[in-house]
Amino acid sequence: MNVHFIAIGGSAMHNLAIALHLKGYHVTGSDDEIFDPAKSRLQKYGLLPAYIGWKPEVITTDLDAVILGMHAREDNPELLRAKELGIKIFSYPEYLYEQSKDKTRVVVGGSHGKTTITAMILHVLQHLGIDADYMVGAQLEGFEVMVRLSHKARVMVIEGDEYLTSPIDRRPKFHLYQPNIAVISGIAWDHINVFPTFDIYKEQFAQFIRLIRPGGTLIYCADDKDVVSVAESVKRGDIAAIGYHTANYEISNGTTHIVSPDGAKTPLMIFGRHNLQNIMAAKNACNALGISDKDFLSAISTFKGASKRLELVKKNTLTAVYKDFAHAPSKLRATIAAMKEQYPDRRLVACMELHTFSSLTPEFLAQYAGCMDLADVPMVYFNPHAVAHKKLPPLDPEKVRAAFCNDKIVVFTDSAMLRQHLLRMEWPGSNLLMMSSGNFDGIDFAQLANELIC
């Protein structure tokens, strides 16, 4: 198979390119910019384009397929050439389905927890020696790439993103996978540039349920009222519907344990009520694949977490520094609550970055009211240049502070000043939690932790 990637440098796209290369396909690609880590990883596998930019002459009838990345435009010259020649054009999720249509597909959807639940399922399958293909949105320990495609695996586990499929396909990605086993972990309004009302956003999850294959299984969080209302609104007599709740647990000596109905306790390497919910989602998905509770608990006890999901950067006996992908209001609440519960006797300094389109939109800011109230020292950072780059109206730091409805909130618009402020603080008896889908405009978390914790 000869496959060409338009916009090969994207996070998802370069991983799919590597996966197809490892499967034995002949892979080429192009992009107008490629940055690390994609650049280094493509170079490692001999897939880095020899040129930057678009060359329609590389699109020939020798190609079996063209895969179109999300940041390519509709007038991309290579795309137009592929259409002219009648070459089959796939979006990223379309091609994942094409590669997995004869497999049992486990698709994990939800506004939060998708990556962690997907990672948990994959960890258990790997621990038990069960072969599986996958697509996950973070680099996982013990996994070479974020996408794996093979000829032999009979199961594929997919993180199901609700964002748009491609510039020429406005469907949410997870509408293309047609799951046999579907998970919905939670629903909290996001991507307001695409789904301008919460009702429109919720409808995407209802459609996800409608697309479950006949005879399939829906696994949904019964602790989330919006998930329950969506699950109950779709009448499907041809699928099984399983609601799950937060696992019973206790914390002793700084370790969280799952408490089974028979009283048995399984120690975990992760913590937080949201992760106890994620574990139950993963357990039910694994049960649907024929894995027993005993085998699941044995495997999950060694799960260390996904990258940037309550990931420990550094700690000593008095201070710990964590980083997390949290940026939406529901994620902030869950992550901050987890830190306070795990370390009840320590002051929590929590910093979050407004980085996504939704979070930087004035109309959406009201959703953040009260979401950092559990932090002892809450801080918010945003870059005015990022606001301008997204062509949004300027944000007033005072209005940002007011939106959080918390008089303790301090707002920073210069990451260097935020960093210096953190370095001036006293840290024994305190923890630091850095939350962003970005990196606070270049703050090196490991270096910062080394300076805070001697």
Side-chain angles (χ1 to χ4, degrees):
M1 292 286 288
N2 296 309
V3 180
H4 181 79
F5 283 74
I6 300 176
I8 196 171
S11 175
M13 289 284 279
H14 89 271
N15 275 285
L16 179 57
I18 292 169
L20 291 178
H21 169 74
L22 294 174
K23 191 177 180 180
Y25 286 24
H26 180 257
V27 175
T28 59
S30 56
D31 213 322
D32 57 355
E33 57 181 17
I34 304 178
F35 302 110
D36 276 327
K39 184 176 182 179
S40 297
R41 300 188 75 231
L42 288 170
Q43 192 166 35
K44 173 183 175 182
Y45 291 98
L47 300 176
L48 185 67
Y51 59 91
I52 291 295
W54 316 112
K55 291 187 176 182
E57 60 267 27
V58 304
I59 307 299
T60 70
T61 53
D62 291 335
L63 291 172
D64 296 293
V66 165
I67 302 177
L68 180 64
M70 188 62 203
H71 85 257
R73 297 182 182 275
E74 292 184 70
D75 61 355
N76 183 283
E78 293 183 8
L79 172 61
L80 296 177
R81 179 63 172 162
K83 288 181 175 180
E84 180 184 319
L85 294 177
I87 298 169
K88 179 64 177 175
I89 300 166
F90 292 90
S91 66
Y92 176 87
E94 277 180 315
Y95 206 75
L96 285 179
Y97 174 75
E98 184 70 16
Q99 291 281 310
S100 63
K101 61 186 178 184
D102 297 324
K103 304 175 187 287
T104 297
R105 290 174 303 285
V106 181
V107 182
V108 181
S111 306
H112 43 253
K114 294 186 294 289
T115 300
T116 299
I117 295 167
T118 306
M120 287 174 171
I121 296 168
L122 290 173
H123 177 84
V124 171
L125 294 177
Q126 184 186 63
H127 184 89
L128 298 175
I130 299 172
D131 193 24
D133 288 347
Y134 58 84
M135 186 281 286
V136 63
Q139 188 65 51
L140 305 181
E141 183 176 331
F143 292 83
E144 170 71 8
V145 289
M146 293 161 63
V147 179
R148 188 225 185 198
L149 299 168
S150 70
H151 294 286
K152 294 182 178 180
R154 304 314 310 153
V155 173
M156 183 158 184
V157 185
I158 302 172
E159 180 178 336
D161 182 11
E162 69 270 24
Y163 200 67
L164 300 181
T165 291
S166 82
I168 59 175
D169 187 342
R170 308 296 286 178
R171 290 175 294 174
K173 294 185 183 75
F174 69 165
H175 286 182
L176 281 73
Y177 299 133
Q178 299 184 42
N180 304 98
I181 301 167
V183 176
I184 301 180
S185 60
I187 299 177
W189 190 26
D190 202 355
H191 309 305
I192 68 168
N193 54 319
V194 178
F195 311 115
T197 69
F198 187 39
D199 285 341
I200 293 173
Y201 182 73
K202 285 197 298 183
E203 174 56 26
Q204 311 315 309
F205 292 91
Q207 180 64 8
F208 177 54
I209 297 172
R210 296 185 192 106
L211 292 166
I212 298 170
R213 299 296 298 160
T217 302
L218 168 65
I219 296 162
Y220 65 95
C221 181
D223 291 335
D224 185 315
K225 62 179 177 58
D226 291 309
V227 174
V228 172
S229 69
V230 168
E232 292 179 347
S233 72
V234 181
K235 307 302 181 183
R236 290 283 307 266
D238 60 338
I239 64 172
I242 301 170
Y244 66 87
H245 298 272
T246 306
N248 291 324
Y249 70 101
E250 65 177 41
I251 302 171
S252 59
N253 298 320
T255 298
T256 298
H257 298 73
I258 290 180
V259 181
S260 298
D262 63 1
K265 298 177 183 178
T266 302
L268 301 174
M269 301 180 75
I270 57 175
F271 61 89
R273 282 184 60 86
H274 64 300
N275 275 328
L276 273 296
Q277 283 185 344
N278 293 337
I279 282 176
M280 293 304 288
K283 184 187 82 69
N284 279 282
C286 287
N287 290 161
L289 291 171
I291 296 168
S292 69
D293 286 357
K294 179 181 178 182
D295 285 344
F296 175 84
L297 290 171
S298 174
I300 205 66
S301 67
T302 61
F303 178 71
K304 295 180 181 178
S307 176
K308 282 195 74 175
R309 273 69 179 180
L310 266 181
E311 181 181 349
L312 177 66
V313 180
K314 186 175 182 179
K315 71 175 180 178
N316 61 17
T317 57
L318 296 174
T319 302
V321 177
Y322 283 84
K323 60 182 178 180
D324 195 271
F325 195 72
H327 53 278
S330 61
K331 297 176 183 179
L332 295 182
R333 288 188 180 92
T335 304
I336 291 170
M339 288 290 293
K340 289 298 291 184
E341 184 177 40
Q342 192 72 6
Y343 297 95
D345 299 324
R346 291 190 189 175
R347 182 183 66 156
L348 177 61
V349 179
C351 303
M352 74 83 58
E353 178 182 11
L354 297 171
H355 180 72
T356 64
F357 184 96
S358 294
S359 69
L360 291 168
T361 303
E363 296 80 14
F364 189 78
L365 275 174
Q367 302 292 318
Y368 286 97
C371 71
M372 297 186 75
D373 286 359
L374 288 180
D376 299 289
V377 183
M379 302 179 189
V380 175
Y381 168 75
F382 73 93
N383 184 341
H385 296 295
V387 179
H389 180 72
K390 296 180 191 298
K391 296 181 170 53
L392 290 167
L395 283 181
D396 179 349
E398 183 54 36
K399 289 184 178 178
V400 170
R401 192 185 72 81
F404 281 79
C405 298
N406 183 331
D407 291 338
K408 295 188 294 183
I409 291 277
V410 180
V411 178
F412 291 86
T413 58
D414 183 315
S415 63
M417 291 183 65
L418 168 61
R419 192 178 187 282
Q420 287 303 313
H421 184 79
L422 293 172
L423 289 173
R424 287 194 295 267
M425 297 176 70
E426 293 292 328
W427 286 101
S430 299
N431 287 341
L432 173 62
L433 173 61
M434 302 290 286
M435 299 174 289
S436 176
S437 58
N439 63 2
F440 290 83
D441 291 302
I443 291 181
D444 185 320
F445 297 141
Q447 182 179 344
L448 177 63
N450 285 334
E451 294 180 54
L452 296 180
I453 302 175
C454 301

